[in-house]
Amino acid sequence: MQQHLLARRQAPGPSRSRTLTGLLASAAATTGLLLTALAPGAQAVAANPYERGPAPTNASIEASRGSYATSQTSVSSLAVSGFGGGTIYYPTSTADGTFGAVVISPGFTAYQSSIAWLGPRLASQGFVVFTIDTNTTLDQPDSRGRQLLSALDYLTQRSSVRTRVDASRLGVMGHSMGGGGSLEAAKSRTSLKAAIPLTGWNTDKTWPELRTPTLVVGADGDTVAPVGTHSEPFYESLPGSLDKAYLELRGASHFTPNSSDTTIAKYSLSWLKRFIDNDTRYEQFLCPIPRPSLTIAEYRGTCPHSS
């Protein structure tokens, strides 16, 4: 009898057994939920290792500075060949790995100082940016295109910041004849990820050969490179299958890109992020097509983007 009673005391009752089973099941379910919650983030990182910086907002892409602290280094014309030297702007942190890069050319008779404002602005958002001087201030677009490519090669192969740059993720920009040069560069090197001509000028009006996602920026008051004979034909001639956009600035002139401009910065940054970094978080600022506003006279584009 005592043995029977002892056995009954030692054996777990039905309620204790059910409680233990419930706790184990709950723990397993919690673990499963945690793994499920973590998986999408891990998959996103694996799918796009090039995202840099926090999730963007309209305020962040319009800000004069992004989340990265930056530094800069001068490059003497005597230390390079193929272009006239310049200034490299770059994020100081290396914690996020390498960055995409963009080289920017000034226009006819101009120096890098005319487009220098873009350097720290874009670098602070997570790019290495090289604003260059050309061999002479009178160089034509085809020459400026070759110089943009020479500067990219220097940046990725010889510069003091080359280890910070991902040589597979590069783009070009330029103002006026430098903008025409950015089209020339993209035509010559189809591996480029993005091109942005700013109130571009070129005697060649058709660009069906381009395979680089291109944002053409024109100005409604441009009398040097009127949109009707430059930016609009450039855009319309790009292949229909290409990711492309046309932004016409309202109340702007040919020289608007030579001063800090929120609209230029906002859409240039979004374009570079979307196509150099493949960062689809910036798609929201490009698609649906932005509507006319106080600063936008017109916007055309291919949406949604395919690449």
Side-chain angles (χ1 to χ4, degrees), residues 132-288:
I132 66 168
D133 280 319
T134 47
N135 289 326
T136 80
T137 59
L138 307 181
D139 292 332
Q140 297 296 299
D142 58 344
S143 173
R144 290 170 191 266
R146 292 191 296 273
Q147 293 181 60
L148 283 166
L149 297 180
S150 293
L152 280 174
D153 292 341
Y154 171 82
L155 184 63
T156 58
Q157 298 169 19
R158 296 178 50 209
S159 76
S160 61
V161 300
R162 61 188 180 277
T163 58
R164 299 172 185 262
V165 180
D166 182 344
S168 69
R169 298 188 293 116
L170 307 175
V172 288
M173 295 177 66
H175 171 242
S176 191
M177 284 194 181
S182 71
L183 295 171
E184 299 281 0
K187 177 181 176 179
S188 298
R189 189 171 295 181
T190 58
S191 62
L192 293 178
K193 302 301 184 183
I196 306 178
L198 303 171
T199 59
W201 188 100
N202 200 311
T203 56
D204 186 349
K205 311 301 182 184
T206 58
W207 301 92
E209 312 93 339
L210 262 65
R211 299 295 180 266
T212 298
T214 300
L215 168 63
V216 178
V217 179
D220 62 355
D222 193 337
T223 58
V224 177
V227 293
T229 55
H230 288 78
S231 292
E232 287 185 300
F234 296 165
Y235 172 77
E236 293 297 338
S237 70
L238 295 170
S241 59
L242 185 68
D243 288 317
K244 61 180 182 175
Y246 170 72
L247 166 62
E248 185 174 317
L249 302 169
R250 186 188 298 279
S253 76
H254 183 70
F255 301 102
T256 294
N258 292 156
S259 301
S260 180
D261 184 273
T262 298
T263 304
I264 290 174
K266 174 180 181 176
Y267 291 101
S268 295
L269 171 63
S270 297
W271 196 262
L272 297 174
K273 284 286 191 179
R274 176 63 182 80
F275 294 105
I276 290 182
D277 287 356
N278 192 32
D279 193 337
T280 54
R281 298 179 301 173
Y282 287 80
E283 181 83 352
Q284 62 182 304
F285 307 112
L286 303 170
C287 296

Side-chain angles (χ1 to χ4, degrees), residues 28-101:
T30 301
T31 301
L33 288 172
L34 285 172
L35 291 174
T36 301
L38 289 172
Q43 290 170 356
V45 171
N48 181 20
Y50 307 131
E51 287 184 4
R52 297 292 182 267
T57 64
N58 198 62
S60 74
I61 64 173
E62 290 185 351
S64 61
R65 292 293 182 273
S67 61
Y68 288 94
T70 65
S71 189
Q72 65 188 69
T73 183
S74 296
V75 178
S76 170
S77 61
L78 301 177
V80 301
S81 62
F83 66 105
T87 304
I88 302 172
Y89 304 84
Y90 59 95
T92 56
S93 173
T94 58
D96 293 338
T98 56
F99 296 91

